[in-house]
Amino acid sequence: MSTSSTRVLIAGGSLVGLSTAMFLARHNVPCVLVERHPGTSIHPRAVGYYPRTAELLRTAGVEEAAKTAAAGFEKHRTRAGVVSLAGEVLFSKEELEGGDELLDLTPAKLLLLPQDRLEPLLRARAAELGADLRFGTELVSFTQDDDGVTAVTRDSDGVESTVRADYLVAADGPRSTVRETLGIRREGRGVLSRHVSIAFGADFAAVLGERRYSVVHVKNDTVTGILVHDDTLTEGTLIVGYDPDRGESLEDFTDARCAELVRAAIGSDTVEVTVRSRFPWDMAELVAERFVAGRVLLAGDAAHQIPPTGGYGANTGMADAFNLAWKLALVLDGTAGAGLVDTYQQERHPVGLYTARQGSLQLALRSGTATEEQRAATDDAMTVTMGQAYPAGAFVAEEDAGALPLTSDPRTLSAQPGTRAPYVVLERDGAPLATLDLFGAGFVLLTGADGRSWTEAARAARAELGVALDVHSVTADGSDGLADPDGRWADAYGTSAGGAVLVRPDGVVAWRSRGAVAADGQVSALTSALRRVLAR
């Protein structure tokens, strides 16, 4: 049996596993991904990615490729309820209606792109950055000790190998073998219903005409389900439920039965339907009690199973990967203490619980069963995906500030530590530059017009801690680095001309000095903040 080693082993090669490999490789962390299937998903599955997720793709250098691949879905913005595609329309609503109003929040936009088209882009980018991606290889077993994980893998020829890694990331889905092996329990409402997604080929053009849908809720005497179609108008997915308590099972969904259901959803007996695949899945609200178990870390559906109403599952999982990658990178290169990895639990577990609950609330809302209390507790998508405030973790909370709610309207946030750094358009050498594009590699210190002395403090902190730290001064005319012609930066970041804001590699605010600090105290203030963030 051959033996190899890597820094991080990733179990699972779907969206979250591939994102983890891509983000780690971007931070120059050697990683091996194993996935039992021979390639990326052949099933569309997730189809929508919120602007925050597009920001993560932007940081990894894959947003433009994703936008190009999604171009055919630009007009697929309507969520509707119908008797059938050819029949009566019961309701119609635009997704992220008024999307241009988000321009003050982010340069990114909602991406509609089936998972089977996004995954190859992530795979290609991860491989380009140096990740070792082993498809057709499964994780057979693993053990862990104080220094790492020893895993046994098996390839498609049945050949077993041993891989030694510092950490194992379990991105192996809702039925996670890794989570079950560790005996980690899950909390929540459990399995709410069982479903099968039917991927099929059919000619939609005549039935759709000029209409383009993101999601269609279909209900008639033959079928109740959710239908999505692609941009070629030749492929689609129909999601229908089944109930084992009523004697129904997956075996009921023969090709003939699936084709019958699809034709009923389309509303035509003459459309030729070709069933491509069937994918069974459970709608559930379940969150693992622990995301961190020694040297093993849970991400995506292995950590939290979120009802798909609202489309939060894939987005939350990719955000897990983004949060985790920079932390592992700094721990593995010795810049941070091992405690930095533990903050993954502090930050992402509350988000998992909250987002799973929001998925359930969206389910009640869209099914028409929501109570007034549930309606009041349901947050909009931008609040859920962009308005998070970590209750604790790798940041220094301000002593004189009250605790923020877990999520807020992102427009009400102003660079409080533990929140996403606000989006502001600055200028460099006369060209526009989004603050978002300053983040992603190492730490970034932003200072106001009177904060030039922070540059020396940053230099001292870099020397003492060996941490990557860039400094940018923001002035009205850009004479000291970045220009703020609209005068938005100080208000957006809640600081004065003499203050400073420290931003983590994942674009989350780590520390802030809202006012000026005496020059002889700046080194101590900044170094102390970095030590706390880095668990040193």
Side-chain angles (χ1 to χ4, degrees):
M1 182 183 294
S2 64
T3 301
S4 62
S5 63
T6 188
R7 303 311 301 267
V8 180
L9 176 64
I10 304 163
S14 193
L15 275 180
V16 176
L18 287 169
S19 296
T20 303
M22 179 176 68
F23 296 140
L24 283 170
R26 186 179 178 279
H27 287 291
N28 300 312
V29 177
C31 58
V32 171
L33 178 149
V34 293
E35 165 56 52
R36 63 185 179 88
H37 290 103
T40 54
S41 177
I42 61 171
H43 203 91
R45 297 165 70 183
V47 296
Y49 309 94
Y50 287 107
R52 177 54 181 163
T53 304
E55 290 181 356
L56 310 188
L57 297 177
R58 179 188 183 109
T59 301
V62 77
E63 183 194 24
E64 287 303 317
K67 286 166 63 176
T68 299
F73 292 88
E74 277 297 311
K75 296 182 179 179
H76 294 220
R77 285 290 191 267
T78 306
R79 175 182 293 275
V82 303
V83 173
S84 69
L85 286 183
E88 180 185 1
V89 176
L90 305 174
F91 71 85
S92 178
K93 183 181 186 300
E94 294 302 300
E95 297 279 18
L96 287 186
E97 197 167 6
D100 287 345
E101 296 175 5
L102 299 176
L103 292 177
D104 65 324
L105 281 177
T106 176
K109 292 190 175 183
L110 175 74
L111 287 173
L112 291 179
L113 185 64
Q115 184 169 335
D116 59 339
R117 294 201 201 176
L118 179 58
E119 283 189 5
L121 302 180
L122 302 180
R123 179 179 182 176
R125 182 58 173 157
E128 179 185 8
L129 292 169
D132 182 351
L133 309 178
R134 303 179 186 179
F135 284 82
T137 303
E138 64 177 319
L139 177 67
V140 176
S141 64
F142 70 92
T143 58
Q144 66 169 313
D145 53 47
D146 291 343
D147 298 319
V149 175
T150 301
V152 176
T153 66
R154 182 187 298 126
D155 66 19
S156 56
D157 295 324
V159 177
E160 293 190 350
S161 303
T162 298
V163 179
R164 177 68 178 176
D166 294 274
Y167 288 93
L168 168 63
V169 176
D172 53 344
R175 296 180 178 85
S176 172
T177 300
V178 175
R179 186 191 64 239
E180 293 301 314
T181 299
L182 293 170
I184 297 176
R185 297 184 301 175
R186 293 187 291 175
E187 55 189 312
R189 297 174 61 204
V191 175
L192 307 177
S193 54
R194 301 189 187 279
H195 300 264
V196 59
S197 294
I198 305 163
F200 63 89
D203 186 354
F204 290 97
V207 176
L208 284 175
E210 296 300 314
R211 298 175 298 169
R212 298 293 182 269
Y213 292 113
S214 58
V215 176
V216 182
H217 301 259
V218 179
K219 186 171 185 178
N220 57 49
D221 291 340
T222 302
V223 62
T224 297
I226 294 175
L227 177 70
V228 295
H229 64 83
D230 78 340
D231 54 344
T232 70
L233 307 188
T234 62
E235 294 184 355
T237 303
L238 177 65
I239 303 171
V240 294
Y242 68 96
D243 188 352
D245 291 338
R246 295 190 304 195
E248 299 170 350
S249 70
L250 288 173
E251 286 67 34
D252 298 334
F253 294 94
T254 62
D255 282 358
R257 175 58 176 161
C258 289
E260 177 188 10
L261 294 172
V262 169
R263 281 192 290 268
I266 295 173
S268 171
D269 293 331
T270 61
V271 172
E272 183 178 347
V273 175
T274 302
V275 176
R276 294 171 46 219
S277 65
R278 285 168 289 272
F279 179 77
W281 55 278
D282 295 339
M283 181 181 291
E285 182 192 328
L286 286 166
V287 179
E289 291 183 335
R290 290 182 292 152
F291 289 7
V292 179
R295 293 282 180 149
V296 182
L297 311 157
L298 307 185
D301 286 350
H304 39 67
Q305 201 168 348
I306 301 170
T309 38
Y312 299 133
N315 291 272
T316 305
M318 293 170 74
D320 291 342
F322 199 65
N323 181 284
L324 189 55
W326 73 273
K327 295 177 178 179
L328 285 172
L330 293 182
V331 170
L332 290 170
D333 74 6
T335 301
L340 180 59
V341 174
D342 293 331
T343 67
Y344 176 66
Q345 167 77 18
Q346 292 178 294
E347 294 182 355
R348 298 305 298 173
H349 186 261
V351 170
L353 289 170
Y354 164 80
T355 311
R357 179 58 178 155
Q358 285 297 313
S360 284
L361 290 171
Q362 285 286 348
L363 176 62
L365 193 66
R366 295 181 184 184
S367 65
T369 62
T371 64
E372 286 302 315
E373 183 181 8
Q374 288 174 320
R375 288 178 181 277
T378 305
D379 293 325
D380 66 82
M382 290 302 97
T383 295
V384 174
T385 59
M386 198 172 283
Q388 298 165 4
Y390 293 138
F395 59 91
V396 181
E398 295 172 330
E399 295 181 1
D400 59 342
L404 289 170
L406 183 61
T407 54
S408 308
D409 180 339
R411 290 184 175 85
T412 67
L413 299 175
S414 57
Q416 296 93 331
T419 68
R420 167 184 168 271
Y423 163 65
V424 178
V425 178
L426 303 173
E427 288 184 0
R428 175 187 280 160
D429 299 327
L433 176 70
T435 48
L436 174 67
D437 294 327
L438 297 170
F439 315 136
F443 285 88
V444 172
L445 186 70
L446 297 173
T447 71
D450 298 333
R452 295 174 182 84
S453 56
W454 284 106
T455 301
E456 182 57 39
R459 186 179 296 114
R462 280 196 300 261
E464 181 174 340
L465 300 176
V467 63
L469 173 61
D470 289 334
V471 187
H472 300 281
S473 295
V474 182
T475 61
D477 59 4
S479 57
D480 228 17
L482 301 178
D484 181 22
D486 297 328
R488 287 194 59 226
W489 181 79
D491 284 341
Y493 278 72
T495 189
S496 68
V501 180
L502 179 68
V503 182
R504 306 184 329 189
D506 61 349
V508 171
V509 177
W511 167 83
R512 177 174 65 174
S513 173
R514 285 182 288 181
V517 174
D520 59 359
Q522 290 177 347
V523 172
S524 174
L526 180 57
T527 302
S528 175
L530 279 165
R531 283 189 177 280
R532 289 176 63 180
V533 172
L534 296 171
R536 289 177 59 174

